[in-house]
Amino acid sequence: MAFTEYRRLDEDSLIEYIKATPSLSSKIGNKFDDLTIKEVGDGNLNFVYIVIGTSGSFVIKQALPYIRCIGESWPMTKERAYFEAMALKEHGQLCPGHVPEVYHFDHTMALIGMRYLEPPHIILRKGLIAGIEYPLLAEHMSEYMARTLFCTSLLYRTTMEHKRAVADFCGNVELCRLTEQVVFSDPYKVSQYNRCTSPFLDRDAEAVRGDNILKLEVAELKSKFCERAQALIHGDLHTGSVMVTHDSTQIIDPEFAFYGPMGFDIGAFLGNLILAYFAQDGHADQGNDRKTYKKWILKTIEETWTLFHDKFTALWHQHKDGSGEAYLPEIYNNPDLQLLIQEKYMKELFHDTLGFGAAKMIRRIVGVAHVEDFESITDASKRAACERRALELAKTLLKERRKFQTITEVVSAIQLQP
Amino acid sequence: MAFTEYRRLDEDSLIEYIKATPSLSSKIGNKFDDLTIKEVGDGNLNFVYIVIGTSGSFVIKQALPYIRCIGESWPMTKERAYFEAMALKEHGQLCPGHVPEVYHFDHTMALIGMRYLEPPHIILRKGLIAGIEYPLLAEHMSEYMARTLFCTSLLYRTTMEHKRAVADFCGNVELCRLTEQVVFSDPYKVSQYNRCTSPFLDRDAEAVRGDNILKLEVAELKSKFCERAQALIHGDLHTGSVMVTHDSTQIIDPEFAFYGPMGFDIGAFLGNLILAYFAQDGHADQGNDRKTYKKWILKTIEETWTLFHDKFTALWHQHKDGSGEAYLPEIYNNPDLQLLIQEKYMKELFHDTLGFGAAKMIRRIVGVAHVEDFESITDASKRAACERRALELAKTLLKERRKFQTITEVVSAIQLQP
């Protein structure tokens, strides 16, 4: 069986494919008799197979030419597999401890073979719903974000390298357009795809659509998303794109990767932690009031930004005489000026982070794709109450983000949200 | 003689080339006996030939693989001819009245054949030095800038069209890098290429290199230049890239074109008008004190921005229900919100314009390439006095641009500059 043109693999053809692909078959010691294959794609865009043999394992991810959960009515280029593979490789080189290794990429088949993240790895979002603390999460996420964002920006790269990479990732426009629609547009207009916890949040959703200042601010963020090629961002860095154990943090699914604003990644992660925080009251029961867990989430939010800030500026300091062309050493080599430019840079990045984070929260409450954090709260009125607090905080963050000077102030605002 | 690989044309081989190229030979009625050919490349990067026959004419511009005025020691890709031709065609379609028609483009030869701008067309800069008023200049330039910038931005384009075009023009990175160096870097550090009217301006140049706030602000502008793909800009829109008569205004030489911030174009033009203004005292003599002319320059500065603003927002209004994706009509269709977003957009664009305009002024006084406006003032101390006033104003504009609300305030600051 040849695989010279795209076709969707099933379990049988998958085995044929592996047999024909040395970089995969060698991973399982070329033994095919005892393979177990499990389809686990709970995402919306792909088929994902876990392949386990006696002497090794891997995951096969194949992109479908449409969005799976909606069906073939919403077509979506399978070219995204190419950008996902490129981003996994690039981010993996920069931060190998937190990105699964790519063993194989097949452009024609829109197929990636990569490391299987073995148990007890679970999706972070599920861990957050279950109330599990991950003591290294802030440390690892800040490390991943600092390294991938810094090292793909003009703080580290020449403009020659940057423009070439920007041009490549411009090809991922269809996935960018999906984000433009579901994050920056749909929540602010009547759309057939929007959902909310009805009837409780109907008027809240309507208020979002009628809030001129909110819409003014979200337009500014959309412009940045569409126009500003600041770094190679993951593009979809919510808590469903992170797999964790007590000791390990692995970032997966960068199919939305492109050169965009750094704050979109940091905001996605922090925004989804804030959603997880507001969902906790819906998960509290007689056995666990979740108060301690809520404190841990807040601490993780605070530490993630603080550690990110410190690691990012440390990288900057370390490479200030390197090949990055944003601030040439011959011009910016005095300590006072260094401090000024870093403060300015980090302040803008902080405000971008809050803005994008808020936009990502809003879309998860009144847009098309909701999060399991809230969806798993079965009592609709209780769920709506949790969602409303998250929504109100997000509106404040989006509209007044420039008033926040520190992450501590943000954490206070989260706690004080009525 | 075949032209299957690049070689520099001289007058003889040029005639052979024209004979072999129907789109050119047809322009001169296929008559070659009475051709006059004149080499007029006074730029730094190209050979330019004017070809005139009895029944027609055109210009041939051929890119050299280095910067001509510096010599082969500063190599520069001839690929720029491709981007120049693309920009001429694109801007020409959007604003045919102010962009010379392209008759022919040869990628291999890095050669463009285009309309000859016949006498009395002269380079605007020379007209400004001579003290000639162009009553339609503000009208025409504002028309050109409003149409080309609006129609290549996300106010008019889909993000699909935009990202494709951005990717194409990423290829013009070498020319972008030249701008990064000579506009945003060299003036702020010691560089072998920098010049100033020495010894008069030595300390002024030193003060620029030691001004932390100025360097902080110019870094922000450089980031925008490198990262923000707002529209297809000309990229070098000074008064030497405009040819004029009393009735005609033609924009030439967009070899620096790429997707960048709109304010870079508007600022380049206004900044060079301000340079022309400050040079006038050096051109004044007993016969002409240039006072009336200085008023005309100020009026032109004011009208150019005002007309640009009006035309740009008129285009926006006209196309608000069109395919542009920055502000979807379903979200931004109420008049209050329309006004809010336009005010915000135009305010940022105004401040970008002032910042980039100021940066372009500074580099013409303490950087590598100076302007004839000042260079033609033979008395060095008089020239230095003119340059110093321009430099001081530029520093104010760059550092305090956000304090200016209207172009009238800018014109006042120009007049009040001691």
Side-chain angles (χ1 to χ4, degrees), chain B residues 73-204:
Chain B
S73 64
W74 194 331
M76 184 51 57
T77 174
K78 55 188 166 48
E79 267 300 288
R80 64 186 188 271
Y82 167 75
F83 297 104
E84 176 169 0
M86 292 305 104
L88 281 169
K89 286 179 188 175
E90 174 99 40
H91 285 174
Q93 276 180 355
L94 296 169
C95 195
H98 302 298
V99 180
E101 188 184 347
V102 172
Y103 303 141
H104 172 72
F105 172 61
D106 183 331
H107 203 145
T108 305
M109 291 287 284
L111 182 151
I112 301 170
M114 64 181 123
R115 178 187 163 194
Y116 166 48
L117 297 168
E118 68 294 341
H121 277 103
I122 60 167
I123 294 287
L124 172 58
R125 194 186 298 285
K126 292 184 187 293
L128 293 166
I129 293 166
I132 304 167
E133 294 188 15
Y134 297 97
L136 298 174
L137 183 63
E139 179 71 33
H140 289 169
M141 287 303 297
S142 60
E143 180 77 13
Y144 167 78
M145 295 191 295
R147 292 197 64 80
T148 58
L149 298 177
F150 179 87
C151 294
T152 59
S153 79
L154 287 171
L155 297 172
Y156 184 76
R157 291 257 186 88
T158 67
T159 53
M160 189 70 89
E161 298 162 329
H162 181 76
K163 274 229 173 10
R164 196 181 304 125
V166 169
D168 281 350
F169 277 92
C170 276
N172 206 14
V173 57
E174 283 197 44
L175 279 277
C176 289
R177 285 170 67 78
L178 182 55
T179 300
E180 289 157 26
Q181 178 182 339
V182 300
V183 176
F184 298 108
S185 298
D186 281 352
Y188 305 93
K189 67 187 183 71
V190 175
S191 160
Q192 58 169 316
Y193 301 112
N194 287 344
R195 299 192 294 115
C196 73
T197 301
S198 191
F200 307 98
L201 290 190
D202 289 349
R203 304 192 69 163
D204 301 79

Side-chain angles (χ1 to χ4, degrees), chain B residues 91 179 225 232-238 253-258 264-265 268 360:
Chain B
H91 285 174
T179 300
F225 182 82
L232 177 59
I233 67 175
H234 178 286
D236 195 28
L237 194 54
H238 56 77
D253 293 352
E255 54 209 315
F256 285 81
F258 78 114
F264 192 78
D265 270 6
K360 300 278 270 181

Side-chain angles (χ1 to χ4, degrees), chain A residues 37-51:
Chain A
I37 295 183
K38 206 166 77 172
E39 213 269 284
V40 293
D42 67 345
N44 298 324
L45 300 141
N46 310 286
F47 275 110
V48 179
Y49 296 97
I50 295 169
V51 180

Side-chain angles (χ1 to χ4, degrees), chain A residues 71-137:
Chain A
E72 308 198 8
S73 65
W74 195 331
M76 184 53 56
T77 173
K78 56 188 166 50
E79 267 299 290
R80 66 186 186 272
Y82 168 76
F83 297 103
E84 176 169 3
M86 292 305 104
L88 282 169
K89 287 179 187 175
E90 173 100 41
H91 286 175
Q93 277 180 354
L94 296 169
C95 196
H98 302 299
V99 180
E101 187 184 346
V102 173
Y103 304 140
H104 171 72
F105 173 62
D106 183 332
H107 203 145
T108 305
M109 291 286 284
L111 182 151
I112 301 170
M114 65 182 125
R115 177 187 163 193
Y116 166 49
L117 296 167
E118 70 291 343
H121 276 105
I122 62 166
I123 293 286
L124 172 58
R125 193 185 299 284
K126 292 185 187 293
L128 293 167
I129 294 167
I132 304 167
E133 295 187 15
Y134 297 96
L136 298 175
L137 183 62

Side-chain angles (χ1 to χ4, degrees), chain A residues 153-154 158-164 166-174 176-177 180 184-186 188-190 209 211-220 222-223 225-231 258-259 325-328 330-334 336-337 340-341 344-345 401-402, chain B residues 153-154 158-164 166-174 176-177 180 184-186 188-190 209 211-220 222-223 225-231 258-259 325-328 330-334 336-337 340-341 344-345 401-402:
Chain A
S153 79
L154 287 172
T158 67
T159 53
M160 188 71 89
E161 297 162 330
H162 181 76
K163 275 228 171 10
R164 195 182 305 125
V166 169
D168 281 351
F169 277 92
C170 276
N172 207 14
V173 57
E174 282 196 44
C176 290
R177 286 170 66 78
E180 289 157 27
F184 299 107
S185 298
D186 281 352
Y188 305 93
K189 66 187 184 74
V190 174
R209 296 194 297 270
D211 189 330
N212 280 359
I213 302 302
L214 196 65
K215 287 154 79 169
L216 186 70
E217 292 295 341
V218 89
E220 182 179 323
K222 182 179 175 186
S223 282
F225 182 83
C226 295
E227 293 176 349
R228 185 165 187 201
Q230 195 179 18
F258 79 114
Y259 275 77
E325 293 189 333
Y327 303 92
L328 300 184
E330 307 96 295
I331 304 175
Y332 296 97
N333 58 358
N334 88 61
D336 290 350
L337 189 49
L340 274 176
I341 58 175
K344 188 175 155 92
Y345 196 101
R401 62 191 182 281
R402 294 175 198 87
Chain B
S153 79
L154 287 171
T158 67
T159 53
M160 189 70 89
E161 298 162 329
H162 181 76
K163 274 229 173 10
R164 196 181 304 125
V166 169
D168 281 350
F169 277 92
C170 276
N172 206 14
V173 57
E174 283 197 44
C176 289
R177 285 170 67 78
E180 289 157 26
F184 298 108
S185 298
D186 281 352
Y188 305 93
K189 67 187 183 71
V190 175
R209 296 195 298 270
D211 189 331
N212 281 359
I213 302 302
L214 196 65
K215 286 152 81 169
L216 186 70
E217 292 296 341
V218 89
E220 181 179 323
K222 183 180 174 184
S223 283
F225 182 82
C226 294
E227 294 176 349
R228 185 165 187 200
Q230 193 179 20
F258 78 114
Y259 275 77
E325 292 188 333
Y327 303 92
L328 300 183
E330 308 95 295
I331 304 175
Y332 296 96
N333 58 359
N334 89 60
D336 290 349
L337 190 49
L340 274 176
I341 56 173
K344 187 174 155 94
Y345 195 100
R401 61 191 184 278
R402 295 174 196 86

Side-chain angles (χ1 to χ4, degrees), chain A residues 105-325:
Chain A
F105 173 62
D106 183 332
H107 203 145
T108 305
M109 291 286 284
L111 182 151
I112 301 170
M114 65 182 125
R115 177 187 163 193
Y116 166 49
L117 296 167
E118 70 291 343
H121 276 105
I122 62 166
I123 293 286
L124 172 58
R125 193 185 299 284
K126 292 185 187 293
L128 293 167
I129 294 167
I132 304 167
E133 295 187 15
Y134 297 96
L136 298 175
L137 183 62
E139 179 70 34
H140 289 168
M141 287 302 297
S142 60
E143 180 76 13
Y144 167 78
M145 295 191 295
R147 292 197 64 80
T148 58
L149 299 178
F150 179 86
C151 293
T152 60
S153 79
L154 287 172
L155 297 173
Y156 184 75
R157 290 255 187 89
T158 67
T159 53
M160 188 71 89
E161 297 162 330
H162 181 76
K163 275 228 171 10
R164 195 182 305 125
V166 169
D168 281 351
F169 277 92
C170 276
N172 207 14
V173 57
E174 282 196 44
L175 278 278
C176 290
R177 286 170 66 78
L178 182 56
T179 300
E180 289 157 27
Q181 179 182 340
V182 300
V183 176
F184 299 107
S185 298
D186 281 352
Y188 305 93
K189 66 187 184 74
V190 174
S191 159
Q192 59 169 315
Y193 301 110
N194 288 342
R195 298 191 294 115
C196 72
T197 301
S198 192
F200 306 98
L201 291 189
D202 289 348
R203 303 192 71 161
D204 301 79
E206 200 185 324
V208 167
R209 296 194 297 270
D211 189 330
N212 280 359
I213 302 302
L214 196 65
K215 287 154 79 169
L216 186 70
E217 292 295 341
V218 89
E220 182 179 323
L221 293 170
K222 182 179 175 186
S223 282
K224 270 201 180 161
F225 182 83
C226 295
E227 293 176 349
R228 185 165 187 201
Q230 195 179 18
L232 178 59
I233 67 174
H234 177 286
D236 196 28
L237 194 54
H238 56 77
T239 51
S241 297
V242 181
M243 295 197 72
V244 283
T245 68
H246 186 272
D247 306 308
S248 166
T249 307
Q250 301 292 326
I251 288 86
I252 61 172
D253 291 353
E255 56 210 315
F256 285 82
F258 79 114
Y259 275 77
M262 297 177 179
F264 192 77
D265 270 7
I266 315 167
F269 183 67
L270 295 184
N272 275 271
L273 284 184
I274 300 174
L275 292 179
Y277 172 89
F278 282 111
Q280 294 304 316
D281 287 350
H283 304 312
D285 56 30
Q286 290 172 320
N288 186 345
D289 64 7
R290 298 280 179 129
K291 280 191 182 158
T292 309
Y293 194 62
K294 284 165 72 176
K295 279 198 188 130
W296 175 80
I297 296 180
L298 293 179
K299 184 161 80 84
T300 302
I301 291 169
E302 184 149 4
E303 283 183 2
T304 300
W305 172 261
T306 306
L307 288 169
F308 168 80
H309 178 282
D310 294 350
K311 288 165 196 260
F312 191 91
T313 52
L315 282 167
W316 193 338
H317 186 73
Q318 187 184 335
H319 295 283
K320 71 181 162 50
D321 298 318
S323 54
E325 293 189 333

Side-chain angles (χ1 to χ4, degrees), chain B residues 337-355:
Chain B
L337 190 49
Q338 279 284 332
L339 199 64
L340 274 176
I341 56 173
Q342 284 198 357
E343 279 174 359
K344 187 174 155 94
Y345 195 100
M346 298 312 287
K347 186 176 163 186
E348 190 193 349
L349 184 49
F350 183 59
H351 292 153
D352 280 4
T353 296
L354 298 184

